[in-house]
Amino acid sequence: MTIDQDKPCPHENFDAYVAVNRITASDADPTVVGYAADIKVNCRACDEPFRWTGVPAGLSPGHPTCSVDETELRAPLRPASADPDFGMGLPGFAVNYRPEPRGTTP
């Protein structure tokens, strides 16, 4: 497909990149304590990354989050046979954006 540079890309075909991670207790302890999938989606024609909508930025063992630039979904997983609390208790973080009040300058 040839892209017309004067028109926006119609974003008709996509590439999805998925990495499934085994989270271990530590570098010295190989016990698996959790799993997570990191997912990115790009337009195949123009390579524009897609952003995840409505997902908070950060990392959590209890719910999906996204990267600060919203281009990577980070989703905790567990085997179907695992207890529902599998992976809970792992550390995480949240990113909160607070706009500057109007009329202030940095």
Side-chain angles (χ1 to χ4, degrees), residues 86-98:
F86 179 80
M88 293 295 158
L90 293 171
F93 65 92
V95 177
N96 295 309
Y97 171 74
R98 294 189 181 129

Side-chain angles (χ1 to χ4, degrees), residues 32-35 76-84 86-87:
V32 175
V33 296
Y35 297 90
L77 298 168
R78 64 180 168 87
S81 60
D83 290 332
F86 179 80

Side-chain angles (χ1 to χ4, degrees), residues 23-67:
I23 302 166
T24 59
S26 70
D27 288 340
D29 182 355
T31 304
V32 175
V33 296
Y35 297 90
D38 299 336
I39 305 167
K40 290 183 170 192
V41 177
N42 289 61
C43 175
R44 183 170 290 163
C46 72
D47 202 39
E48 180 177 0
F50 276 62
R51 296 180 189 270
W52 297 94
T53 304
V55 182
L59 183 66
S60 171
H63 60 83
T65 59
C66 68
S67 57

